[in-house]
Every structure is written in C-alpha cells, then in structure tokens.
Amino acid sequence: MSTLVHPMPTDTPEVRRYNRIKRWLGISDGVIGFAVLVLLLVTGWTAELRDWAYRGAWQHYFLAIFLYVLMFSVLLKLISLPLDYYGFRLEHQYNLSNQKLRSWLWDETKGWLLGLVLGGIFVEIIYGVIRVAPQRWWIIAWAVFIGLTLLLARLAPVVLFPIFYKFKPLENDALRDRLTRLSERAGTRVRGVYEWNLSEKSKKANAALMGMGATRRIIVADTLLAGYSDDEIEAILAHELGHHVRKHILKGIVVQVVITFFGFWLTNQVLHFVLARNWFPDLEARLYDFANLPLILIVATVLSLLLMPAMNAISRKHEREADRYAWENISGIDPFITSMQKLADQNLAERTPNKYVEWLFHSHPSIGRRVTAAEEWAKSRQST
Ligand SMILES: [Zn+2]
C-alpha cells in the first residue's frame, strides 16, 4: 500500500490572527480575574462583602457563605462579560459561529448558574469542614473534592453537557458497525456513540470521549458527520477509542488526585502563614472566616498556572498515543491525514503554531506535528 506525500499547507495570516486574538482573550480573562482576587484582598473589600453577607443572612454562617459566593460570582461575571462578548463576536467575525445573541446569552446564564451551584456547594463544604476540623480540614476537603470530581466525570455526558447541547444515538449503521468491530478487536466496549448537535451553535467540528463506567461514550459533532467521509470519521473514532483503550480519562483523574492533594496542603500552609502575619488586617485570624476565599483562589490559580505546561505535556502525550492507536487500527493513514487537514481548515486551527505557544498553551500537538508523525509511522511500517 502506498502512502501519498501530503504537502503541508501553510497557515494564512487570517488563521494566525484569529488564534492570536483568541490567545490574548484567554490571557486577558485570566489576568483580570486574578487582579480582581488581589484587589478584593488588598482593599479589604472581601471583608466588606462578608459583612454584607452576614447581615443579609441574619448572621447565619452557611447562608452567609452562600450570599458571599453569590455576590462574588456576580462581580466576577460582570467584569468578565465584556471579554466574553468580544469572544462571541470574534467567532462570528471569522464565520465560525451559528449562534444568535439570545442563545449565547442564555448559555452564559446557564453557565453562570451552573458555576454558582457547583462552586457554592464546594465552598460551603470547605468552610463547613474547616469549622469542624480546623487541623485536618485540607485532607477531608481534598477527599470530598476527589469524590465530586469522579461524580462529575460520570454525570458530565448525561447531566452537564445536555444543559448546553442536544445529543442522540448515532444513526449511521455502517459507521456504528465499524466502530463495534474496532472496539471488539481491542477487546473493549464503549457504551455508545452519540451524535452531538453542534451545528446549532458552531461551524466547527469536533469529537470526544467522555463519561465514566456506564456513561462512557464517544460523541461526534453533526458538523463532522456531515462533512467527512466514512473512512475519515472512522479514523477519528479510532483516535477516541484509543483514549478509551489507553485509559486516559482515568490517568487524568489520577494526576488530579496527586496534584490536588499537594494543592490543598499548600493552601492550608499559605492560609496559616498569611493569617499569622496579619498581611490583610481585614481578615479574621480564624481559618473559617470565608472572607479569605480570594486567598484560597489565588493559591489555586498560581498553582494551576505553574503546572499548566506539565498538564498540557501530559495531554499531548495522551493525544499522541491515541493517534498511534488509530493508525494501527485503520487500514491506511490517508483518511487520518485528510481528516486532520479538514479539521484545521474548518476550525481555523494553526497547523504550525509557535513552538513556545504550543508548549505552554496547547493540549493537543499541532496538526502539522500529527500529520508528520503519521507519515513517519507509515514510512517506518513500510521499511520493516
Ligand atoms: Zn484526542
């Protein structure tokens, strides 16, 4: 079997510009959020918010926490809204979006509510634990966090994702049969393949593996099903199956377990250190004063920022493994390569991003690298 040599198209100035703006949007969003946290602490406004919350809650501790989180999340949302709106406009400018303003606003509202509910529950648990076990709170909070992470991973495809998108079982029988054969050969079973109604909102294409145990499934965007040949879709499904076979979701969770253990320990150390030195006089010396929430979030933000290159490197390794799995299990790499090129065109992805940008920000190897790796793999196959 011969493998065609595919010349790598270069990235147009339009593609470069789109990705540069997206990157700056992400960075600005992070910087502004971080600045708000620092400002709340330094000015003592966080203590002001806490006092309002207590008054509004008739001095009831847990109700006050909820009111504090509510005001906090309203504030953050209002501040980040202009940039979020700019992001919405950007997708339209580059003709990547099908979403109307109303639908976008509704998604923003739902996203904010979801964050408020999940964040609220978790903050309540943290300070509840701090109050009853001030010495060991961080271990208990970590264990609860892991439990919630596992629960959410399991619920994501059946509860969280459907809040924003519609799903239905894949109707294409030929494709389903192919995937069943692929997964039987791998000695594994994915519970289902679902069609993801992405076209309602976006012109981009995508596919993913998600869920845990009974909810484990592959989702394929309808935009992908519409524009790609069966061979190309099979190559993409084989990649997703590779994530399943190599247990990448589980491995990701194990990494989370280790990192968050360290993270909660560090948070406890920083809280004690800062409170003992009275750096922020408006905070009470007691750990359970929830006005110190911005401090906890600063520790979490700095830690995840420092770990971002490592986390992305792990993710890129998983992507390379899933690609390799796909090449080994489909008959010829051409559909893989053409599907990658189509994805790059359709999603305005950079084929050859700046090396440092990729290292720092990208969870996937660039399309350029993935295609080159596939060609080299095929060549080494032919020579043996
Ligand atoms: Zn992948």
Side-chain angles (χ1 to χ4, degrees):
M1 159 192 63
S2 76
T3 306
L4 302 166
V5 175
H6 304 265
M8 181 68 58
T10 49
D11 292 319
T12 62
E14 186 199 21
V15 167
R16 294 258 183 235
R17 201 174 334 112
Y18 170 70
N19 283 281
R20 197 168 53 235
I21 298 174
K22 280 223 45 128
R23 211 153 44 234
W24 276 108
L25 264 179
I27 294 170
S28 312
D29 215 27
V31 169
I32 290 172
F34 192 76
V36 171
L37 294 177
V38 172
L39 202 68
L40 281 169
L41 268 185
V42 173
T43 57
W45 291 341
T46 177
E48 202 106 333
L49 280 184
R50 174 243 285 141
D51 293 344
W52 290 352
Y54 266 119
R55 248 173 278 144
W58 306 285
Q59 307 301 318
H60 185 283
Y61 184 62
F62 290 103
L63 192 56
I65 293 179
F66 175 74
L67 286 184
Y68 177 89
V69 172
L70 178 67
M71 290 188 281
F72 191 89
S73 69
V74 168
L75 179 75
L76 277 181
K77 188 69 218 173
L78 287 179
I79 289 170
S80 70
L81 202 57
L83 278 186
D84 295 345
Y85 177 70
Y86 183 69
F88 165 75
R89 297 285 313 150
L90 184 72
E91 295 295 293
H92 277 283
Q93 270 166 30
Y94 283 85
N95 196 24
L96 292 166
S97 178
N98 290 325
Q99 195 171 24
K100 297 272 189 300
L101 182 64
R102 264 173 77 114
S103 155
W104 177 78
L105 283 170
W106 180 224
D107 274 0
E108 289 288 299
T109 311
K110 287 189 289 189
W112 174 76
L113 276 171
L114 186 64
L116 177 66
V117 170
L118 294 178
I121 290 173
F122 192 59
V123 173
E124 295 275 358
I125 291 174
I126 284 195
Y127 286 100
V129 172
I130 287 182
R131 225 153 81 130
V132 295
Q135 302 299 319
R136 257 181 264 277
W137 75 270
W138 63 275
I139 300 186
I140 302 168
W142 165 76
V144 171
F145 181 79
I146 297 305
L148 286 179
T149 303
L150 291 173
L151 185 70
L152 287 180
R154 199 178 172 103
L155 292 183
V158 284
V159 178
L160 302 185
F161 254 60
I163 295 175
F164 302 97
Y165 293 101
K166 292 191 206 77
F167 294 90
K168 62 173 192 225
L170 182 67
E171 274 162 7
N172 185 329
D173 288 336
L175 267 177
R176 254 212 332 258
D177 288 348
R178 276 180 167 204
L179 182 78
T180 309
R181 272 200 301 278
L182 272 173
S183 57
E184 274 170 1
R185 229 184 307 148
T188 174
R189 187 176 295 164
V190 173
R191 307 276 172 157
V193 185
Y194 288 79
E195 183 178 330
W196 167 18
N197 189 350
L198 183 61
S199 64
E200 201 181 7
K201 296 179 182 171
S202 176
K203 295 189 203 299
K204 290 178 172 177
N206 213 337
L209 174 75
M210 58 165 59
M212 278 187 83
T215 67
R216 173 62 51 86
R217 63 195 58 194
I218 291 175
I219 59 169
V220 190
D222 55 350
T223 43
L224 206 146
L225 293 169
Y228 295 63
S229 72
D230 281 6
D231 284 343
E232 287 167 340
I233 297 168
E234 185 190 39
I236 290 164
L237 290 177
H239 169 96
E240 300 304 336
L241 188 64
H243 282 307
H244 173 70
V245 171
R246 295 287 165 90
K247 299 187 166 40
H248 288 155
I249 290 185
L250 184 68
K251 285 178 183 167
I253 289 175
V254 169
V255 171
Q256 281 291 324
V257 166
V258 175
I259 288 174
T260 50
F261 184 81
F262 172 70
F264 277 99
W265 171 83
L266 183 69
T267 305
N268 185 47
Q269 298 293 318
V270 171
L271 275 177
H272 279 291
F273 183 89
V274 171
L275 294 180
R277 277 156 193 77
N278 203 21
W279 279 3
F280 307 107
D282 297 298
L283 296 184
E284 290 174 22
R286 297 167 306 174
L287 233 52
Y288 66 77
D289 173 18
F290 53 82
N292 62 32
L293 183 64
L295 188 56
I296 295 184
L297 294 177
I298 285 174
V299 176
T301 310
V302 170
L303 187 64
S304 49
L305 211 63
L306 290 176
L307 289 171
M308 192 166 68
M311 300 302 282
N312 279 331
I314 292 173
S315 170
R316 289 194 302 268
K317 176 173 181 283
H318 288 170
E319 295 304 327
R320 288 195 300 271
E321 287 174 5
D323 276 355
R324 195 186 168 101
Y325 180 88
W327 310 331
E328 283 167 352
N329 286 284
I330 54 178
S331 47
I333 58 162
D334 286 341
F336 173 85
I337 291 175
T338 53
S339 70
M340 284 293 124
Q341 303 290 15
K342 276 190 186 176
L343 280 172
D345 288 335
Q346 192 171 355
N347 297 347
L348 290 191
E350 279 176 302
R351 288 176 167 86
T352 49
N354 176 287
K355 190 169 67 175
Y356 300 104
V357 166
E358 187 177 352
W359 180 76
L360 205 55
F361 297 116
H362 287 199
S363 61
H364 287 60
S366 66
I367 300 275
R369 280 185 208 278
R370 294 174 77 175
V371 167
T372 310
E375 284 167 344
E376 274 167 10
W377 179 85
K379 232 184 284 164
S380 73
R381 261 295 168 92
Q382 277 174 342
S383 59
T384 53

